[in-house]
Amino acid sequence: MRLKDKVAVVTGAASGIGKEIARTYAREGAKVVIADLDQKGADAAAAELGGAGRAIGVAMDVTNEAQVDAGMAKAVAAFGRLDVLVSNAGIQIVAPIEDFAFAKWKQLLAIHLDGAFLTTRAALRQMYSQGTGGSIIYMGSVHSKEASVLKAPYVTAKHGLIGLAKVVAKEGAKHGVRANVICPGFVRTPLVDKQIPEQAKELGISEEAVIKQVMLKDTVDGEFTTVADVAEAALFFAAFPSNALTGQSLVVSHGWFMQ
Ligand code: NAD
């Protein structure tokens, strides 16, 4: 029970990586708020974790200031405090830069960067007023460190999250608030499953080749990272007991990227 009596908000937790982080936190004793654009999915994920008293779903578009502030207020109203924010909601859009629609570029940056900023600001206001510290975790990617073709806004946004985490680490220190980034390799979630045929089409290769020659080519063992692997790292950052671990990024990618 490494998160007993802690309260965590996880964005984008109706699906994929965020859903597994919510499950892991609940298993470790936390009360969890599942904040997602997909309200039905968020409510269903919360029900799986035991429902009212243990987990709630909150409808939240992380790019919408009013919805983020209202969602965070609902979280605090339900559980009385906030100790952990996992800013995880994200999308992927692949295209070469010369064909990238400006609206799509802005949509992706808004979800990853505006979303991280707005949820961080709301969380810090609550954590500072509580005076009991906290942990803010951003879902970066190997693309916070490396580039790939067809992913200009994603690589830009994921690099940007490392900058934000470092500022939050510095500003949050005197309040006992830590900020860190998890950088996963490819994980089989709906976000990745959607990309496989899209990349196959853009690159003119088979879906099998996208997996073997693009996604897993540089891993040490040709394996996908799993949602459980990423959730374990998210637990480590959430439960870490002091300011010693802050402003860091941890790559969980089967050795695709080594620092
Ligand atoms: P997913 O598609 O399974 O889940 C993403 C969730 O985010 C969905 O529930 C979706 O409804 C929600 N969401 C989308 N836009 C939103 C918005 N505006 N407001 C609130 N919620 C919104 O994807 P995933 O693979 O679990 O991705 C989660 C995070 O992990 C993303 O930030 C992604 O970039 C990152 N990531 C994923 C991989 C991977 O290989 N899957 C690798 C590295 C990083």
Side-chain angles (χ1 to χ4, degrees):
M1 286 288 189
R2 292 167 65 192
L3 296 177
K4 194 166 175 344
D5 300 328
K6 301 283 187 197
V7 176
V9 171
V10 186
T11 70
S15 172
I17 291 171
K19 190 172 186 182
E20 186 64 21
I21 292 173
R23 233 184 250 138
T24 302
Y25 283 3
R27 184 194 75 209
E28 294 292 328
K31 300 193 166 90
V32 185
V33 178
I34 293 169
D36 204 290
L37 199 56
D38 169 9
Q39 173 153 26
K40 261 196 183 163
D43 289 343
E48 270 179 44
L49 301 182
R54 306 193 61 183
I56 58 165
V58 164
M60 181 192 288
D61 176 349
V62 296
T63 68
N64 181 308
E65 185 175 11
Q67 286 188 28
V68 169
D69 289 346
M72 213 58 92
K74 266 191 205 156
V76 174
F79 296 126
R81 53 183 295 111
L82 176 65
D83 303 284
V84 181
L85 165 67
V86 185
S87 172
N88 164 80
I91 61 165
Q92 179 61 282
I93 304 170
V94 293
I97 293 174
E98 67 273 23
D99 296 334
F100 230 108
F102 188 35
K104 296 272 181 203
W105 162 271
K106 285 197 282 196
Q107 180 196 5
L108 195 146
L109 291 189
I111 294 172
H112 291 260
L113 292 179
D114 297 0
F117 164 70
L118 289 171
T119 52
T120 297
R121 191 182 63 178
L124 288 181
R125 286 173 176 166
Q126 176 61 28
M127 288 173 180
Y128 291 175
S129 77
Q130 276 170 210
T132 48
S135 176
I136 300 204
I137 299 162
Y138 298 100
M139 198 52 62
S141 162
V142 165
H143 288 112
S144 299
K145 313 267 179 181
E146 286 273 8
S148 290
V149 295
L150 309 178
K151 296 188 175 175
Y154 190 82
V155 171
T156 303
K158 292 302 192 190
H159 275 66
L161 289 176
I162 291 192
L164 177 61
K166 288 177 178 174
V167 176
V168 176
K170 290 200 170 191
E171 291 189 9
K174 62 178 179 291
H175 302 277
V177 175
R178 298 172 289 108
N180 295 287
V181 186
I182 301 171
C183 301
F186 281 102
V187 183
R188 283 307 287 261
T189 66
L191 179 141
V192 161
D193 286 337
K194 173 174 167 284
Q195 274 175 68
I196 296 171
E198 289 173 357
Q199 289 216 36
K201 195 168 161 227
E202 285 288 352
L203 299 171
I205 57 179
S206 69
E207 294 190 14
E208 186 68 10
V210 169
I211 293 173
K212 290 211 165 118
Q213 292 161 27
V214 180
M215 293 184 162
L216 304 179
K217 177 167 102 28
D218 293 323
T219 60
V220 293
D221 52 9
E223 297 277 342
F224 277 101
T225 300
T226 66
V227 291
D229 295 326
V230 182
E232 203 56 44
L235 174 60
F236 176 69
F237 278 132
F240 200 83
S242 80
N243 262 357
L245 185 64
T246 195
Q248 304 304 306
S249 48
L250 181 66
V251 182
V252 185
S253 71
H254 285 260
W256 165 12
F257 179 83
M258 298 192 193
Q259 13 204 0

